[in-house]
Amino acid sequence: MKRALITGINGQDGSYLAELLLSKGYEVHGTIRRASLPNLDRIKHIRDRVTLHWADLSDSSSLFDAVRLSQPDEVYNLGAQSDVRISFDIPEYVGNVTGLGALRLLEAVRQVRPDARFYQAGSSEMLGLNPDIPCNEESTFMPASPYAAAKVYAYNVTKNYRESYSMHASNGILWNHESERRGVEFVTRKITLAVSAIKHGSTGHIKLGNLGAKRDWGYAPDFVEGMWLMLQQDEPDDYVLATGETHSVMEFLNLAFMHADLGEWQPHIDIDSSLFRPEDPPVLLGDASKALDKLGWKPQVYFDELVRRMVDYDLEQQ
């Protein structure tokens, strides 16, 4: 039986990945951080099937302990401070956790389980302001936020460990991927939760920032399958995962309101300048041709179906 260790197992991607690995017969371990209130809702249905370890990407000793105790065959680093807007407010923390955290985990794996296969979660935000779209694995990184810059560091140090120590370490460059488990601070989930609230008469307005930002939005369960496929390859490599389509926040609003039969969204939207990023890539679009060719990966759920699934889920929760 293979063993896997997932940092951030209680996040959106971590929970879906844990489900996938359990379905494939893995013994699944995951790291969680101590908090004043439990944050295990996304994995409560599989809590008795996974082993949890207290660990933090800012603390090397806890990562060494997690690797030593789990003895993984595969390690997936999905933990991070992942709110791009907030990264401008706490840049040092983001650099420490999202950037240096990857280095700490790589070093723990190198010293404790050097033959384990390692996955580093990269982001389309690393491409940021690159005007040559769609972007692929050869595109130049042009990060436009502290979060993106930290992810570029993590990407590069993963490649460095692969080349310096012959580790099976791969980077995924993942474009936006959403789901019913998306955090409530992200714009897509903020919209679908507000749509549900408006539909049920409990609120009338949503505060949003840049409605013109265009993103390549996919479905998180599709993307975690791509992560797993990367670590099944004989040789480590770096891969873009994306749908190849771009849609604006305004398009997301339109479709969400239409699907819930709410009519025009304009009367319900307040533009809040505090939600704008100091620097915001206007368009992020990915080319996942390499993943299709080498991994046989392609998304199953595209934009329209993604929005409908998220809206339906939040409507049912009210």
Side-chain angles (χ1 to χ4, degrees):
M1 177 186 294
K2 284 186 178 180
R3 292 185 300 275
L5 174 65
I6 305 169
T7 65
I9 192 172
N10 54 332
Q12 171 189 256
D13 292 4
S15 65
Y16 284 122
L17 179 61
E19 288 178 349
L20 176 68
L21 296 179
L22 287 170
S23 74
K24 295 181 179 297
Y26 281 64
E27 177 184 318
V28 177
H29 295 251
T31 70
I32 56 172
R33 294 181 298 155
R34 290 194 181 276
S36 57
L37 293 173
N39 184 22
L40 302 177
D41 285 350
R42 294 185 182 98
I43 58 171
K44 61 185 178 182
H45 60 298
I46 55 171
R47 175 63 187 87
D48 60 345
R49 301 174 61 197
V50 300
T51 302
L52 300 181
H53 304 270
W54 297 111
D56 194 301
L57 288 168
S58 66
D59 179 65
S60 296
S61 63
S62 67
L63 298 176
F64 271 81
D65 285 345
V67 175
R68 177 178 54 81
L69 292 169
S70 61
Q71 292 293 305
D73 301 294
E74 297 173 4
V75 177
Y76 296 85
N77 185 29
L78 309 187
Q81 193 300 116
S82 57
D83 189 311
V84 179
R85 173 62 193 85
I86 296 300
S87 76
F88 286 96
D89 299 327
I90 50 172
E92 182 179 344
Y93 175 78
V94 172
N96 187 25
V97 172
T98 305
L100 286 173
L103 171 64
R104 295 185 185 102
L105 185 57
L106 279 161
E107 185 62 14
V109 173
R110 184 182 77 85
Q111 293 198 34
V112 180
R113 288 286 290 179
D115 292 332
R117 299 185 173 194
F118 184 91
Y119 170 81
Q120 169 59 31
S123 168
S124 60
E125 293 286 341
M126 300 189 301
L127 283 306
L129 300 176
N130 190 321
D132 299 324
I133 58 173
C135 292
N136 60 28
E137 295 81 4
E138 303 304 318
S139 300
T140 301
F141 293 141
M142 298 180 65
S145 67
Y147 166 79
K151 282 292 189 182
V152 170
Y153 175 85
Y155 175 96
N156 284 327
V157 79
T158 298
K159 288 190 68 173
N160 176 251
Y161 269 61
R162 178 169 77 212
E163 294 163 0
S164 299
Y165 302 114
S166 299
M167 292 176 63
H168 194 295
S170 297
N171 285 291
I173 309 171
L174 273 57
W175 262 248
N176 294 60
H177 47 288
E178 318 295 315
S179 76
E180 301 90 331
R181 299 179 191 173
R182 192 54 148 155
V184 297
E185 70 275 16
F186 290 90
V187 65
T188 52
R189 191 74 191 287
K190 185 185 292 188
I191 290 170
T192 60
L193 283 168
V195 163
S196 177
I198 294 167
K199 185 72 174 180
H200 291 92
S202 61
T203 188
H205 292 272
I206 318 171
K207 289 186 177 182
L208 295 175
N210 181 10
L211 302 187
K214 292 184 176 181
R215 297 294 184 262
D216 184 329
W217 273 309
Y219 191 48
D222 291 343
F223 281 56
V224 300
E225 182 182 22
M227 300 175 190
W228 175 77
L229 286 169
M230 292 179 206
L231 297 199
Q232 310 317 303
Q233 306 307 302
D234 292 336
E235 298 295 330
D237 207 344
D238 308 317
Y239 298 90
V240 162
L241 299 185
T243 70
E245 298 180 358
T246 185
H247 299 272
S248 69
V249 176
M250 191 178 297
E251 289 178 76
F252 198 106
L253 270 170
N254 273 325
L255 186 53
F257 271 73
M258 287 174 55
H259 186 61
D261 294 320
L262 288 177
E264 297 293 329
W265 54 263
Q266 288 84 349
H268 303 282
I269 301 302
D270 292 329
I271 300 300
D272 186 345
S273 61
S274 70
L275 298 176
F276 282 73
R277 304 178 191 175
E279 194 168 32
D280 193 3
V283 181
L284 291 173
L285 178 63
D287 174 6
S289 299
K290 180 178 175 181
L292 175 61
D293 292 342
K294 292 195 171 184
L295 305 179
W297 179 88
K298 62 180 179 180
Q300 302 301 310
V301 175
Y302 286 85
F303 181 74
D304 287 10
E305 178 63 19
L306 166 67
V307 177
R308 286 193 290 266
R309 289 189 185 194
M310 292 181 67
V311 170
D312 287 343
Y313 176 83
D314 283 328
L315 286 172
E316 291 170 4
Q317 301 309 301
Q318 286 283 338

